[in-house]
Amino acid sequence: MRKTYTLAGIALLMAACGNNEKTYDATGVFEATETTVFAEQSGALLTFSVEEGDIIDANKEVGIIDTTQTWLKIQQLAATKRVYQSQKPDLERQIAATRQQLAKARQDEQRYRELVADGAAPSKMLDDASNQVKVLQKQLDAQVSTLNTQLSTLDSQLSTADVQIAQLNDQLRKCHIVTPTKGTVLEKYVERGEFVAVGKPLFKIGDTEEMYLRAYVTSGQLQHIKLGQQVKLFADYGDEKRKEYGGTISWISARSEFTPKTILTDDERADLVYAVKIAFKNDGYVKIGMYGEVVFSE
C-alpha cells in the first residue's frame, strides 16, 4: 500500500508542476511616457480647461495666464518706438542749405581763379574765396557727422526697443498654456482663478497610445533578445483574463540590477536581471500600472 500511495503522490506532484508551468518569458508593468507641464509665467490663471482623464491633442491651448501687464508694456514700447522714429533727422534736408552755399562758394572760387589768371582781379580775392570754400566744407562735414551720430543713437534705441518687445512677446506667448504632446491628463494640480508662479506644475499628461511594458530578464535570456525584435505581450486583467498585443523591443538596459545584498556569490548570479522596454500601440484597454507578460519566442 505504501508503494501505491507513493506513486500516487508523485503523479499528483507532476500534475501540479505541469499546471504551474509558465506560459511567459518575463513579466513587468505597463508604463507610459509622462510629461509634467509647468507654468512659464506668473499671474492669475484666467482660463484652464483641463480635467483628469481628458484626451488632449498636441499643441492645443488649454489655459491662459493673465497677460494684461505684459500687453500694456508692449503698447508702451510701441509708442516709444514711434517717438524715436519721429526724432530721426532728415539728413539731406538739413544739409541742403549748407551744400548749396558750398556749391556757390566753389563757383565764386573758380571765377576769381580765372580773373586772377587774366590779371583782372587781385589774388587776395581768390584767397578769400578759397577760404570760404574750406569753411563751408568743414561746416558740412560737421553737420553730416552730428546728424549721423543722432541717427546711429536713435537706431540703437529702436533696436533696443525691438529686442524688449520681442522679449515681451515671448512672455506673452508663454502665458498661453499649450500641451506639448498628445495624451491623457493623468493629474491636475491647479484650478482656474489660482495664482501660479513660474515653475509651478499645472498638470501631468501621459501618452496612453504609444505605451510600453517594462520587464526584466536574466542574463541567460539576453542572448535570445535584441532591439527591434517582435514579441507578444499579454495584459493581465486577473482571473486568468488576458489580452494579447504585438510589441517591439525598443530598449535594453546596459546595466544589470539585483536584490541588494552585502555579498554576491556565484550561486546568486541568477538574481541579476536587466530591464527591457517593449513598445506597443494601446487600444485603450491597457492602463498605466497594470501587470503584463511577454513571450519572446514561440
Side-chain angles (χ1 to χ4, degrees), residues 15 31 36 50 117 156 169 173 205 208 210 212 216 232 265 273:
E31 299 179 356
T36 301
V50 168
S156 297
N169 280 326
R173 178 187 60 80
I205 190 170
T208 54
E210 301 295 333
Y212 58 89
Y216 292 89
K232 289 182 179 180
T265 65
V273 292

Side-chain angles (χ1 to χ4, degrees), residues 9 22 38 94 109 116 124-125 157-158 163-165 187 197 200 204 209 211 216 222 231 238 249:
K22 293 193 304 182
F38 296 88
Q94 294 200 27
E109 181 187 28
V116 170
K124 183 178 183 305
M125 297 182 66
Q157 291 173 327
L158 285 168
V163 171
Q164 292 174 337
I165 290 176
E187 295 182 63
K200 181 178 179 62
K204 181 187 290 184
E209 288 190 2
M211 293 181 64
Y216 292 89
L222 283 178
V231 299
I249 298 178

Side-chain angles (χ1 to χ4, degrees), residues 30 207-212 235 237 243 245-246 279-288:
F30 287 103
D207 185 355
T208 54
E209 288 190 2
E210 301 295 333
M211 293 181 64
Y212 58 89
Y237 293 92
K243 186 174 178 63
Y245 296 89
F280 75 102
K281 190 170 184 63
N282 185 18
D283 56 3
Y285 289 99
V286 177
K287 307 300 180 183
I288 298 172

